Amino acid sequence: MPHSDEDWSDSDEEILSQVETSVLLGVPDGTIDDEADRVDGAVSRIGGLPALLPSREPPISSSHCKSCSQPMELLVQIWCPFEDSPMDRALYVWGCARSGCQGKTGSVRAWRGIRINEKYAQKLARKRQRQLDLAREKAKAEESKARLETQQKNIVGGNPFAMKGKGATNAPIFGLGAQIFGAPPSAVEIQSEEMTKKLPIEESQDDADDSDTEDELLTALAATSISESAWKSAPSYPPLFLSTESEYIPPPPKPKIPKGVQVEGLDDDDKKDKDISWAKETYEDSLEVDQVFERFMNRVKHEGEQCVRYELNGTPLPYARDATFDLLWPAPPQEPLPVTKPDFKVVRQQKRVYDASAVPRCPICNSARVFECQLMPNLINVLRPADEGKGKKLTDEERRKDLEKALKGEDKDAKRGMDWGTCMIFSCEKDCCREGGKETKEAWREEVVYIQWDV
């Protein structure tokens, strides 16, 4: 039976069906009014003053623009500890809004602040030790069980009183008492039962000793106060909460097939397949400059309020075809063109694939730097002066138009002088915390920022 238009046309149900990607989106979530939240390093934010993690206060020069040497405003602070790491960790990004610094290196800077969380480190140590103990006990139990099974087989095989012939079993005869009360358990069953009872008891005792909750351990131990430091007088935007949500993208529309046309090789499984491998996206190596920007727009439009895209060790979303794009998506080697007619061949369009090997390695531990997050154009709109547009509530359509203007660079006033399209941050994949070749309890490290400027 041929497929009908209804089978392959875009339906409301398909449009509402979303595909979750591995990207976390940072969106604004109201003003930070409580002073306790403002000084808590575990509170991610847009604008405001930084809540610094290291006990040794970093120099205020960390926030200075490398172009004009003036202090910059904090754009975002992100609480982002590595999984199963004993280190508290936050990422800080500053940006210069002066028009003369746009397009220049160093007008956006990112720093990684880390410190050891002693309480959480102890919990991780207990967890790892418990896992090792359980693994040893299980291995020992399996070894004992196998050894006893072998011994039992040897005993049964050499028992002259064992039953022989048809219907015989490997078990010895125990007489009438065995029929009434049951045969006595073998040594293997006794040993196995003891091991089975023993393991859960040990694990539950360890868990009982560990009375701390995850929430308590994942909260910054002591927020650093900046009340008496130079950071207090630093320029800043009004602070906003930065909340995270998963990115959801509609699946690509199904092709429309004319009536009466059958498509071979397609079945129900093919129709239901909605897998999207975003991390493997490639770009055609053509002269079409707008291709990259159009793909950026199509991806971002599904959540216009996003200010940050976070995907540790993931793939950034390029804004435009520029020097940064050429660095991270290097041009593939071109096939040589034929010089004679007999050698004529079709040269296929080459694809550009993401490759971060050109990003400078960490100067402290020489580990590779990986993509962690990127700032989005809507962040510039959010960081407007507090009195600009105050009291005005935008409709969804007005918000969408503002986003398009910001992405296309048509609203210079709204951008307050910042003209970048996106800022990509790359950080040490080992999250190193070293000083002079030795491990330390805290560190303050500058990471790499690649800026794609407005086209």
Side-chain angles (χ1 to χ4, degrees):
M1 179 179 179
H3 296 292
S4 65
D5 279 340
E6 287 75 19
D7 291 333
W8 292 92
S9 62
D10 297 334
S11 64
D12 293 338
E13 182 179 355
E14 181 180 358
I15 293 174
L16 294 176
S17 177
Q18 303 284 299
V19 177
E20 183 177 0
T21 74
S22 56
V23 178
L24 290 176
L25 303 179
V27 296
D29 192 19
T31 59
I32 303 178
D33 299 320
D34 193 335
E35 182 63 20
D37 289 331
R38 296 191 182 197
V39 299
D40 188 349
V43 175
S44 298
R45 68 201 64 191
I46 295 173
L49 294 174
L52 303 168
L53 290 182
S55 60
R56 292 179 298 171
E57 186 178 287
I60 189 69
S61 59
S62 301
S63 66
H64 287 186
C65 175
K66 290 185 177 181
S67 175
C68 65
S69 300
Q70 296 298 311
M72 301 183 290
E73 291 89 351
L74 180 72
L75 302 182
V76 295
Q77 175 179 333
I78 306 172
W79 173 252
C80 47
F82 281 10
E83 186 176 0
D84 289 334
S85 169
M87 308 302 293
D88 286 338
R89 183 178 186 272
L91 201 63
Y92 307 81
V93 185
W94 283 272
C96 187
R98 296 170 181 82
S99 58
C101 297
Q102 304 311 299
K104 297 182 180 179
T105 303
S107 59
V108 178
R109 300 176 69 180
W111 292 79
R112 170 172 56 96
I114 54 177
R115 67 176 178 204
I116 191 167
N117 186 324
E118 297 286 1
K119 201 172 184 180
Y120 192 53
Q122 293 172 9
K123 175 181 173 63
L124 286 176
R126 290 195 298 270
K127 178 181 176 182
R128 290 166 183 162
Q129 186 60 48
R130 182 166 63 245
Q131 291 172 343
L132 289 174
D133 292 342
L134 288 173
R136 290 196 197 99
E137 291 294 343
K138 289 179 181 179
K140 189 185 298 183
E142 291 174 0
E143 182 182 351
S144 299
K145 182 178 180 180
R147 184 173 61 253
L148 291 171
E149 285 178 346
T150 302
Q151 293 174 356
Q152 186 69 19
K153 288 179 181 179
N154 293 336
I155 293 174
V156 172
N159 185 357
F161 301 102
M163 295 177 63
K164 304 293 184 181
K166 186 176 180 180
T169 64
N170 290 331
I173 300 174
F174 292 101
L176 182 61
Q179 297 178 25
I180 300 175
F181 302 104
S186 67
V188 175
E189 293 171 339
I190 295 174
Q191 183 72 11
S192 177
E193 184 178 357
E194 288 179 353
M195 287 299 178
T196 303
K197 291 180 178 178
K198 183 178 181 182
L199 293 177
I201 293 176
E202 288 189 350
E203 184 175 1
S204 63
Q205 288 174 344
D206 288 339
D207 290 337
D209 293 338
D210 187 10
S211 59
D212 299 316
T213 64
E214 288 289 337
D215 291 340
E216 292 172 342
L217 294 170
L218 291 177
T219 302
L221 293 181
T224 303
S225 173
I226 58 173
S227 58
E228 301 299 329
S229 73
W231 289 99
K232 185 178 181 180
S233 58
S236 64
Y237 297 107
L240 303 171
F241 286 107
L242 180 65
S243 297
T244 57
E245 60 184 40
S246 296
E247 181 187 45
Y248 291 91
I249 304 293
K254 295 177 181 178
K256 294 185 177 181
I257 307 299
K259 289 184 177 180
V261 176
Q262 291 185 342
V263 181
E264 297 181 358
L266 289 177
D267 52 27
D268 291 338
D269 292 336
D270 294 320
K271 292 172 63 178
K272 294 178 181 178
D273 183 15
K274 291 179 169 40
D275 178 50
I276 299 176
S277 300
W278 299 108
K280 297 181 180 179
E281 283 187 328
T282 58
Y283 293 82
E284 291 184 0
D285 189 30
S286 66
L287 297 178
E288 183 56 56
V289 178
D290 292 334
Q291 178 203 11
V292 176
F293 180 73
E294 288 302 319
R295 292 181 72 171
F296 181 92
M297 288 282 291
N298 289 334
R299 185 74 179 269
V300 174
K301 69 181 180 182
H302 301 294
E303 176 48 87
E305 292 189 359
Q306 61 182 280
C307 294
V308 177
R309 295 176 64 85
Y310 190 94
E311 188 184 17
L312 182 64
N313 202 16
T315 304
L317 180 64
Y319 177 78
R321 187 183 296 269
D322 59 1
T324 297
F325 179 82
D326 291 336
L327 178 71
L328 300 176
W329 283 265
Q334 298 291 332
E335 297 183 40
L337 295 174
V339 294
T340 60
K341 289 185 178 179
D343 294 330
F344 175 78
K345 62 179 180 179
V346 177
V347 179
R348 296 183 177 181
Q349 191 72 48
Q350 298 296 307
K351 300 286 186 179
R352 293 189 181 221
V353 181
Y354 173 67
D355 180 9
S357 61
V359 178
R361 301 179 74 87
C362 175
I364 305 300
C365 68
N366 198 38
S367 297
R369 279 190 171 106
V370 297
F371 171 74
E372 183 164 0
C373 66
Q374 66 187 104
L375 308 185
M376 304 301 287
N378 187 50
L379 178 63
I380 298 173
N381 292 332
V382 172
L383 294 173
R384 293 179 177 180
D387 57 346
E388 186 175 334
K390 189 173 182 180
K392 180 183 178 182
K393 187 175 182 180
L394 299 180
T395 64
D396 290 341
E397 181 64 20
E398 289 173 333
R399 188 180 296 107
R400 185 185 65 80
K401 289 181 179 180
D402 280 356
L403 172 64
E404 290 181 352
K405 288 181 180 180
L407 290 172
K408 295 179 180 180
E410 297 175 357
D411 193 351
K412 298 298 181 181
D413 293 334
K415 302 182 89 173
R416 299 191 65 242
M418 290 192 287
D419 289 334
W420 44 262
T422 189
C423 303
M424 307 173 184
I425 292 95
F426 296 79
S427 57
C428 173
E429 66 174 352
K430 299 296 185 182
D431 199 30
C432 64
C433 185
R434 305 172 65 182
E435 195 74 49
K438 297 181 179 180
E439 295 294 328
T440 59
K441 293 187 175 182
E442 60 182 23
W444 181 252
R445 298 282 181 263
E446 185 165 17
E447 297 294 5
V448 171
V449 179
Y450 285 128
I451 309 172
Q452 290 196 283
W453 299 98
D454 193 11
V455 291

